Amino acid sequence: MAQRHLDPTDRAPAGASPGPHTPGDPHPHPTPDAPPPPPHSHPDTDALASYLRAQATEFLRALRRHRESGASPNGASPAARSATPPAPSTGHVDTARALRRAARRLSGTLHTFQPLLDADWAETMRPELAWLSGTLAMEHAYASRLERLLQALHRLSGSPSLPAPRPVTGRTAAAPVPFATPPGTSGTPGTPGTPAPPTTQPDRGNLTVGAAKAGALLDRQLTLARTRAHSTALQALGSSRFHAVADKVALLASEVPLRATGPLTAPAAATAADLRPLATAAKDRLADAVAALPLVTAGSPYNAQALVHGLSPDPSPHPQDAPWHQVRLLLRLHRYAVEVLTGAYPGATADTGGTEGADGCADVRLIAAGEALDRHRDASEAAAAAAQAARTPRIAPATAYALGVLHADQRHEVEAARYAFQHSWRKEPVRLP
């Protein structure tokens, strides 16, 4: 089926002369014989429309890079459909990051400013954009989690060197490269009695037997999960569901469906078009969620409650983490609302690839708080991955012990991130010049 995605380069830039009026256009262009446009145009509404168009154009630009990277029409390259999928290319990773960044901003903006937009359209678009962003984020999440856990294992073992991150290849997806065993032991995990082959990776000889086997177990589980997430993302990008989302985003890049489509009186127009009350409501929701956090506990050097439920057989997330994750989401919505109001958001060509909390916002306090909450989320999920690996049946006691130490280490990283958040949040807001 031929794809119908519009190319952002074929569209006139903002401020260009409008084309002829098309049927169904809620904003007809004035002509000598036509009445003047309805008086509901407002600078704030224009700022919202410009922001949505910019993010839609960024989405389409990333989609165009994905199509030019050689993916087949069904969303997966021929090699990706084989039994051993290849390593994700750098282009795929960058494209997925740009797509999910734009989808995340669009979804968050639709949530905050939904009263100013067409209700049916916003209710339909928002969950689809959230689905896409979440699907594309999983591969990166598994890769970062594995790298974080392996680095923590070497740090806890006193190793002077850290392992270089490995890409996912067909060989590593089927059987991960075993960790080299410490001196005085024979064999490697999975091949007993065989000496470890020569390797060019950094020396892992300082790892104990338990830590080496724990690393191999985490490598195997998270690499498999990352490979599956990669395949899921490729399938999603080739699905009819994604094509429908892309078509709607292509229309959004040229026309924003605002709620106010008819003539309004001056007071009603000012009320309907003012973005500040909606942005203030997003800020108030964030402040209320932060006020409910135990910031006093987070400010103490040691929180014994961080290890509560650590030995629970329930694999559900840690009960203390949910309010902090909610604050992270609300902080993101507040940051996007600030971007709409100030116009300080990443441009069409500004793709720095930095952290999610470090782009588009000029408030230093929000940047530091967002980075702390990102570290909190990463450490929390890494601790859950270590606990899940420790539940693997028939693992050696030394392996289970190493995974337990790793779980406790990541829970303390969670507490460190909470302390950093409360320390930055209680500072006075400082704006960059």
Side-chain angles (χ1 to χ4, degrees):
M1 178 182 298
Q3 298 184 359
R4 299 182 293 107
H5 309 316
L6 301 182
D7 191 338
T9 59
D10 298 335
R11 197 167 289 110
S17 300
H21 169 55
T22 56
D25 188 351
H27 305 288
H29 306 301
T31 62
D33 299 329
H40 66 268
S41 179
H42 190 277
D44 282 349
T45 304
D46 294 341
L48 174 61
S50 298
Y51 184 85
L52 292 174
R53 283 195 297 265
Q55 299 308 317
T57 303
E58 183 69 12
F59 181 97
L60 295 174
R61 183 176 289 110
L63 176 59
R64 180 178 182 179
R65 291 200 300 266
H66 165 71
R67 292 168 58 187
E68 292 175 349
S69 64
S72 60
N74 67 350
S77 62
R81 296 193 299 270
S82 62
T84 56
S89 63
T90 304
H92 167 77
V93 174
D94 294 341
T95 298
R97 181 186 294 116
L99 279 173
R100 73 172 184 265
R101 180 188 292 119
R104 194 171 57 236
R105 277 181 162 81
L106 287 172
S107 178
T109 305
L110 295 186
H111 175 82
T112 302
F113 300 104
Q114 182 173 344
L116 301 182
L117 302 167
D118 182 81
D120 295 336
W121 175 82
E123 285 293 337
T124 303
M125 279 290 291
R126 192 159 56 87
E128 294 301 293
L129 291 169
W131 159 77
L132 178 62
S133 175
T135 301
L136 297 179
M138 291 308 299
E139 180 185 357
H140 173 74
Y142 285 122
S144 300
R145 199 170 306 159
L146 176 59
E147 181 180 359
R148 181 185 187 91
L149 289 171
L150 294 184
Q151 289 181 347
L153 275 176
H154 282 75
R155 173 170 48 82
L156 295 171
S157 301
S159 176
S161 58
L162 298 177
R166 294 187 294 107
V168 179
T169 63
R171 180 170 58 88
T172 55
V177 176
F179 275 39
T181 54
T185 61
S186 62
T188 58
T191 57
T194 335
T199 177
T200 57
Q201 295 181 348
D203 180 24
R204 290 170 174 159
N206 289 341
L207 287 180
T208 63
V209 176
K213 291 186 176 181
L217 178 60
L218 290 169
D219 195 351
R220 181 168 61 252
Q221 291 183 350
L222 293 178
T223 298
L224 178 60
R226 177 186 176 184
T227 304
R228 290 173 175 172
H230 177 69
S231 300
T232 300
L234 288 178
Q235 292 173 3
L237 292 176
S239 65
S240 58
R241 183 179 182 182
F242 172 74
H243 290 166
V245 174
D247 288 341
K248 292 179 181 179
V249 172
L251 295 176
L252 177 63
S254 58
E255 177 183 353
V256 177
L258 300 174
R259 178 185 292 269
T261 57
L264 298 176
T265 60
T271 302
D274 195 357
L275 305 181
R276 288 181 294 275
L278 298 176
T280 301
K283 182 179 180 180
D284 292 341
R285 288 192 294 269
L286 171 63
D288 293 341
V290 172
L293 293 176
L295 292 185
V296 175
T297 303
S300 62
Y302 176 74
N303 177 16
Q305 294 296 320
L307 299 180
V308 173
H309 303 286
L311 297 178
S312 172
D314 186 6
S316 61
H318 198 282
Q320 287 190 2
D321 295 342
W324 294 86
H325 294 334
Q326 180 67 15
V327 168
R328 178 177 173 271
L329 296 177
L330 293 176
L331 178 61
R332 176 181 292 172
L333 293 177
H334 170 54
R335 196 175 78 243
Y336 296 163
V338 171
E339 291 179 1
V340 173
L341 292 180
T342 62
Y345 53 88
T349 58
D351 185 5
T352 60
T355 58
E356 295 175 355
D359 53 0
C361 181
D363 192 332
V364 177
R365 187 180 68 150
L366 291 184
I367 293 176
E371 291 176 346
L373 291 177
D374 286 345
R375 293 196 302 272
H376 176 275
R377 187 270 317 270
D378 294 342
S380 171
E381 294 180 347
Q388 182 64 29
R391 297 185 181 97
T392 303
R394 298 183 297 277
I395 60 176
T399 305
Y401 173 78
L403 290 171
V405 173
L406 185 60
H407 173 268
D409 173 75
Q410 292 303 301
R411 290 309 307 177
H412 285 300
E413 290 286 341
V414 167
E415 291 305 308
R418 293 178 182 178
Y419 176 81
F421 171 81
Q422 68 86 25
H423 183 70
S424 62
W425 185 259
R426 289 180 172 180
K427 289 183 177 180
E428 292 295 328
V430 178
R431 295 279 178 177
L432 294 175

Short mmCIF file of all heavy atoms in Angstrom, two decimals, residues 252-300:
data_model
loop_
_atom_site.label_atom_id
_atom_site.label_comp_id
_atom_site.label_asym_id
_atom_site.label_seq_id
_atom_site.Cartn_x
_atom_site.Cartn_y
_atom_site.Cartn_z
N LEU A 252 -1.62 18.00 10.88
CA LEU A 252 -1.39 18.96 11.95
C LEU A 252 -0.27 19.93 11.60
O LEU A 252 -0.27 21.08 12.04
CB LEU A 252 -1.04 18.21 13.24
CG LEU A 252 -0.69 19.04 14.47
CD1 LEU A 252 -1.88 19.90 14.89
CD2 LEU A 252 -0.26 18.13 15.62
N ALA A 253 0.70 19.50 10.81
CA ALA A 253 1.80 20.37 10.45
C ALA A 253 1.35 21.56 9.61
O ALA A 253 2.08 22.56 9.51
CB ALA A 253 2.87 19.58 9.69
N SER A 254 0.18 21.47 9.00
CA SER A 254 -0.30 22.57 8.19
C SER A 254 -1.53 23.25 8.78
O SER A 254 -1.79 24.41 8.49
CB SER A 254 -0.64 22.07 6.78
OG SER A 254 -1.62 21.05 6.84
N GLU A 255 -2.30 22.52 9.60
CA GLU A 255 -3.53 23.11 10.12
C GLU A 255 -3.79 22.54 11.51
O GLU A 255 -3.88 21.33 11.69
CB GLU A 255 -4.71 22.78 9.20
CG GLU A 255 -6.05 23.29 9.71
CD GLU A 255 -7.19 22.86 8.80
OE1 GLU A 255 -6.91 22.30 7.73
OE2 GLU A 255 -8.34 23.09 9.18
N VAL A 256 -3.90 23.43 12.50
CA VAL A 256 -4.15 23.03 13.88
C VAL A 256 -5.65 23.14 14.16
O VAL A 256 -6.22 24.22 14.01
CB VAL A 256 -3.36 23.91 14.87
CG1 VAL A 256 -3.68 23.54 16.31
CG2 VAL A 256 -1.87 23.80 14.60
N PRO A 257 -6.32 22.05 14.53
CA PRO A 257 -7.77 22.10 14.77
C PRO A 257 -8.11 22.72 16.11
O PRO A 257 -8.21 22.04 17.13
CB PRO A 257 -8.18 20.62 14.71
CG PRO A 257 -6.95 19.88 15.13
CD PRO A 257 -5.77 20.68 14.67
N LEU A 258 -8.26 24.03 16.14
CA LEU A 258 -8.64 24.72 17.37
C LEU A 258 -10.13 24.55 17.63
O LEU A 258 -10.93 24.34 16.72
CB LEU A 258 -8.29 26.20 17.26
CG LEU A 258 -6.80 26.52 17.05
CD1 LEU A 258 -6.61 28.01 16.82
CD2 LEU A 258 -5.98 26.06 18.23
N ARG A 259 -10.50 24.68 18.89
CA ARG A 259 -11.90 24.50 19.25
C ARG A 259 -12.75 25.66 18.74
O ARG A 259 -13.85 25.46 18.23
CB ARG A 259 -12.05 24.40 20.77
CG ARG A 259 -13.48 24.24 21.24
CD ARG A 259 -13.55 24.26 22.76
NE ARG A 259 -12.92 23.08 23.34
CZ ARG A 259 -13.58 21.96 23.61
NH1 ARG A 259 -14.86 21.86 23.34
NH2 ARG A 259 -12.94 20.94 24.14
N ALA A 260 -12.26 26.88 18.90
CA ALA A 260 -13.04 28.05 18.50
C ALA A 260 -12.99 28.20 16.99
O ALA A 260 -11.97 28.55 16.43
CB ALA A 260 -12.51 29.31 19.18
N THR A 261 -14.11 27.91 16.32
CA THR A 261 -14.15 27.98 14.86
C THR A 261 -15.13 29.03 14.36
O THR A 261 -15.18 29.29 13.17
CB THR A 261 -14.56 26.62 14.28
OG1 THR A 261 -15.82 26.22 14.82
CG2 THR A 261 -13.51 25.57 14.62
N GLY A 262 -15.91 29.60 15.22
CA GLY A 262 -16.88 30.59 14.80
C GLY A 262 -16.56 31.94 15.37
O GLY A 262 -15.65 32.10 16.19
N PRO A 263 -17.33 32.99 14.96
CA PRO A 263 -17.09 34.32 15.50
C PRO A 263 -17.32 34.34 17.01
O PRO A 263 -18.27 33.77 17.52
CB PRO A 263 -18.09 35.19 14.75
CG PRO A 263 -18.45 34.40 13.54
CD PRO A 263 -18.36 32.98 13.92
N LEU A 264 -16.43 35.02 17.73
CA LEU A 264 -16.53 35.15 19.17
C LEU A 264 -16.52 36.63 19.53
O LEU A 264 -15.92 37.45 18.85
CB LEU A 264 -15.37 34.44 19.88
CG LEU A 264 -15.24 32.94 19.68
CD1 LEU A 264 -13.97 32.44 20.38
CD2 LEU A 264 -16.44 32.20 20.21
N THR A 265 -17.16 36.93 20.63
CA THR A 265 -17.06 38.28 21.14
C THR A 265 -15.66 38.48 21.72
O THR A 265 -14.94 37.53 22.00
CB THR A 265 -18.10 38.51 22.25
OG1 THR A 265 -17.86 37.58 23.31
CG2 THR A 265 -19.51 38.29 21.72
N ALA A 266 -15.30 39.73 21.92
CA ALA A 266 -13.94 40.01 22.38
C ALA A 266 -13.64 39.37 23.73
O ALA A 266 -12.60 38.73 23.89
CB ALA A 266 -13.72 41.53 22.44
N PRO A 267 -14.50 39.48 24.77
CA PRO A 267 -14.16 38.83 26.05
C PRO A 267 -14.07 37.31 25.92
O PRO A 267 -13.18 36.68 26.49
CB PRO A 267 -15.31 39.25 26.98
CG PRO A 267 -15.89 40.47 26.35
CD PRO A 267 -15.73 40.28 24.87
N ALA A 268 -15.00 36.72 25.17
CA ALA A 268 -14.96 35.26 25.01
C ALA A 268 -13.71 34.84 24.26
O ALA A 268 -13.11 33.81 24.58
CB ALA A 268 -16.21 34.78 24.28
N ALA A 269 -13.31 35.61 23.27
CA ALA A 269 -12.10 35.25 22.52
C ALA A 269 -10.87 35.32 23.41
O ALA A 269 -10.00 34.46 23.35
CB ALA A 269 -11.94 36.20 21.32
N ALA A 270 -10.79 36.35 24.23
CA ALA A 270 -9.63 36.46 25.11
C ALA A 270 -9.56 35.31 26.11
O ALA A 270 -8.51 34.77 26.40
CB ALA A 270 -9.67 37.81 25.84
N THR A 271 -10.75 34.91 26.63
CA THR A 271 -10.79 33.81 27.59
C THR A 271 -10.42 32.49 26.92
O THR A 271 -9.67 31.68 27.46
CB THR A 271 -12.18 33.70 28.22
OG1 THR A 271 -12.48 34.94 28.86
CG2 THR A 271 -12.21 32.59 29.26
N ALA A 272 -10.96 32.26 25.73
CA ALA A 272 -10.73 30.98 25.06
C ALA A 272 -9.30 30.86 24.56
O ALA A 272 -8.78 29.75 24.44
CB ALA A 272 -11.70 30.84 23.88
N ALA A 273 -8.67 31.98 24.23
CA ALA A 273 -7.36 31.91 23.61
C ALA A 273 -6.21 32.05 24.59
O ALA A 273 -5.07 31.89 24.21
CB ALA A 273 -7.25 33.00 22.53
N ASP A 274 -6.49 32.38 25.84
CA ASP A 274 -5.42 32.63 26.80
C ASP A 274 -4.84 31.30 27.27
O ASP A 274 -5.55 30.46 27.83
CB ASP A 274 -5.98 33.42 27.98
CG ASP A 274 -4.87 34.02 28.83
OD1 ASP A 274 -3.70 33.75 28.51
OD2 ASP A 274 -5.18 34.73 29.79
N LEU A 275 -3.55 31.12 27.06
CA LEU A 275 -2.89 29.88 27.46
C LEU A 275 -2.44 29.90 28.91
O LEU A 275 -2.19 28.83 29.48
CB LEU A 275 -1.67 29.64 26.57
CG LEU A 275 -1.87 29.63 25.06
CD1 LEU A 275 -0.56 29.34 24.38
CD2 LEU A 275 -2.92 28.60 24.67
N ARG A 276 -2.33 31.08 29.50
CA ARG A 276 -1.72 31.16 30.82
C ARG A 276 -2.50 30.41 31.90
O ARG A 276 -1.87 29.74 32.74
CB ARG A 276 -1.55 32.64 31.20
CG ARG A 276 -0.45 33.33 30.41
CD ARG A 276 -0.27 34.78 30.82
NE ARG A 276 -1.43 35.59 30.48
CZ ARG A 276 -1.63 36.15 29.29
NH1 ARG A 276 -0.72 36.00 28.34
NH2 ARG A 276 -2.70 36.86 29.06
N PRO A 277 -3.84 30.50 31.95
CA PRO A 277 -4.53 29.71 33.00
C PRO A 277 -4.28 28.21 32.88
O PRO A 277 -4.14 27.53 33.91
CB PRO A 277 -6.01 30.06 32.77
CG PRO A 277 -5.99 31.38 32.08
CD PRO A 277 -4.78 31.36 31.21
N LEU A 278 -4.22 27.68 31.68
CA LEU A 278 -3.98 26.26 31.51
C LEU A 278 -2.55 25.89 31.91
O LEU A 278 -2.32 24.85 32.53
CB LEU A 278 -4.25 25.85 30.06
CG LEU A 278 -5.70 26.07 29.58
CD1 LEU A 278 -5.82 25.72 28.10
CD2 LEU A 278 -6.66 25.22 30.41
N ALA A 279 -1.59 26.75 31.54
CA ALA A 279 -0.22 26.50 31.95
C ALA A 279 -0.06 26.61 33.46
O ALA A 279 0.68 25.83 34.09
CB ALA A 279 0.73 27.48 31.25
N THR A 280 -0.78 27.56 34.07
CA THR A 280 -0.74 27.69 35.53
C THR A 280 -1.35 26.47 36.21
O THR A 280 -0.86 26.02 37.26
CB THR A 280 -1.48 28.97 35.96
OG1 THR A 280 -0.87 30.11 35.33
CG2 THR A 280 -1.43 29.14 37.47
N ALA A 281 -2.41 25.92 35.62
CA ALA A 281 -3.01 24.71 36.19
C ALA A 281 -2.04 23.54 36.15
O ALA A 281 -1.96 22.76 37.11
CB ALA A 281 -4.29 24.37 35.42
N ALA A 282 -1.27 23.43 35.07
CA ALA A 282 -0.26 22.37 35.00
C ALA A 282 0.81 22.58 36.07
O ALA A 282 1.27 21.62 36.71
CB ALA A 282 0.37 22.34 33.61
N LYS A 283 1.20 23.83 36.30
CA LYS A 283 2.19 24.12 37.34
C LYS A 283 1.64 23.82 38.72
O LYS A 283 2.36 23.30 39.60
CB LYS A 283 2.62 25.59 37.23
CG LYS A 283 3.68 26.00 38.24
CD LYS A 283 4.06 27.46 38.06
CE LYS A 283 5.14 27.87 39.06
NZ LYS A 283 5.51 29.30 38.88
N ASP A 284 0.36 24.13 38.95
CA ASP A 284 -0.25 23.86 40.25
C ASP A 284 -0.35 22.36 40.52
O ASP A 284 -0.16 21.91 41.66
CB ASP A 284 -1.64 24.50 40.32
CG ASP A 284 -1.57 26.02 40.32
OD1 ASP A 284 -0.49 26.57 40.61
OD2 ASP A 284 -2.60 26.66 40.00
N ARG A 285 -0.67 21.58 39.49
CA ARG A 285 -0.72 20.12 39.68
C ARG A 285 0.66 19.58 40.06
O ARG A 285 0.78 18.69 40.90
CB ARG A 285 -1.23 19.45 38.41
CG ARG A 285 -2.70 19.66 38.14
CD ARG A 285 -3.20 18.73 37.04
NE ARG A 285 -2.61 19.05 35.75
CZ ARG A 285 -3.15 19.90 34.87
NH1 ARG A 285 -4.30 20.53 35.16
NH2 ARG A 285 -2.56 20.13 33.71
N LEU A 286 1.70 20.13 39.45
CA LEU A 286 3.05 19.72 39.80
C LEU A 286 3.37 20.11 41.23
O LEU A 286 3.93 19.30 42.00
CB LEU A 286 4.05 20.37 38.84
CG LEU A 286 5.53 20.22 39.19
CD1 LEU A 286 5.94 18.76 39.19
CD2 LEU A 286 6.40 21.03 38.23
N ALA A 287 3.02 21.33 41.63
CA ALA A 287 3.31 21.78 43.00
C ALA A 287 2.58 20.92 44.03
O ALA A 287 3.14 20.58 45.08
CB ALA A 287 2.93 23.25 43.16
N ASP A 288 1.33 20.56 43.75
CA ASP A 288 0.58 19.71 44.68
C ASP A 288 1.22 18.33 44.79
O ASP A 288 1.30 17.75 45.89
CB ASP A 288 -0.87 19.58 44.21
CG ASP A 288 -1.63 20.90 44.30
OD1 ASP A 288 -1.16 21.81 45.03
OD2 ASP A 288 -2.66 21.04 43.61
N ALA A 289 1.67 17.78 43.67
CA ALA A 289 2.30 16.45 43.71
C ALA A 289 3.63 16.49 44.45
O ALA A 289 3.96 15.57 45.20
CB ALA A 289 2.51 15.93 42.28
N VAL A 290 4.40 17.57 44.27
CA VAL A 290 5.66 17.70 45.00
C VAL A 290 5.40 17.87 46.49
O VAL A 290 6.14 17.33 47.34
CB VAL A 290 6.49 18.87 44.44
CG1 VAL A 290 7.71 19.14 45.30
CG2 VAL A 290 6.91 18.58 43.01
N ALA A 291 4.35 18.62 46.84
CA ALA A 291 4.04 18.82 48.26
C ALA A 291 3.68 17.51 48.95
O ALA A 291 3.88 17.38 50.17
CB ALA A 291 2.89 19.82 48.39
N ALA A 292 3.16 16.54 48.20
CA ALA A 292 2.81 15.25 48.79
C ALA A 292 4.01 14.32 48.94
O ALA A 292 3.88 13.26 49.58
CB ALA A 292 1.73 14.57 47.94
N LEU A 293 5.16 14.69 48.38
CA LEU A 293 6.34 13.84 48.49
C LEU A 293 6.98 13.98 49.87
O LEU A 293 6.93 15.06 50.47
CB LEU A 293 7.38 14.22 47.43
CG LEU A 293 7.01 13.96 45.97
CD1 LEU A 293 8.11 14.48 45.06
CD2 LEU A 293 6.78 12.48 45.73
N PRO A 294 7.62 12.92 50.36
CA PRO A 294 8.32 13.02 51.66
C PRO A 294 9.69 13.68 51.49
O PRO A 294 10.73 13.04 51.60
CB PRO A 294 8.44 11.55 52.09
CG PRO A 294 8.51 10.80 50.80
CD PRO A 294 7.64 11.56 49.83
N LEU A 295 9.69 14.98 51.21
CA LEU A 295 10.95 15.67 50.96
C LEU A 295 11.82 15.73 52.21
O LEU A 295 13.05 15.79 52.12
CB LEU A 295 10.69 17.08 50.43
CG LEU A 295 10.07 17.17 49.02
CD1 LEU A 295 9.99 18.63 48.59
CD2 LEU A 295 10.89 16.37 48.03
N VAL A 296 11.21 15.73 53.39
CA VAL A 296 12.00 15.73 54.61
C VAL A 296 12.79 14.43 54.73
O VAL A 296 13.99 14.41 55.05
CB VAL A 296 11.10 15.94 55.84
CG1 VAL A 296 11.92 15.83 57.12
CG2 VAL A 296 10.40 17.29 55.76
N THR A 297 12.11 13.32 54.43
CA THR A 297 12.81 12.03 54.45
C THR A 297 13.87 11.96 53.37
O THR A 297 14.96 11.44 53.57
CB THR A 297 11.80 10.88 54.27
OG1 THR A 297 10.81 10.97 55.31
CG2 THR A 297 12.48 9.53 54.35
N ALA A 298 13.54 12.50 52.19
CA ALA A 298 14.50 12.48 51.10
C ALA A 298 15.72 13.33 51.39
O ALA A 298 16.78 13.12 50.80
CB ALA A 298 13.84 12.95 49.80
N GLY A 299 15.59 14.29 52.31
CA GLY A 299 16.72 15.15 52.64
C GLY A 299 17.64 14.58 53.70
O GLY A 299 18.68 15.18 53.99
N SER A 300 17.28 13.43 54.26
CA SER A 300 18.14 12.82 55.28
C SER A 300 19.23 11.99 54.62
O SER A 300 19.05 11.49 53.51
CB SER A 300 17.31 11.93 56.22
OG SER A 300 16.73 10.87 55.48
#
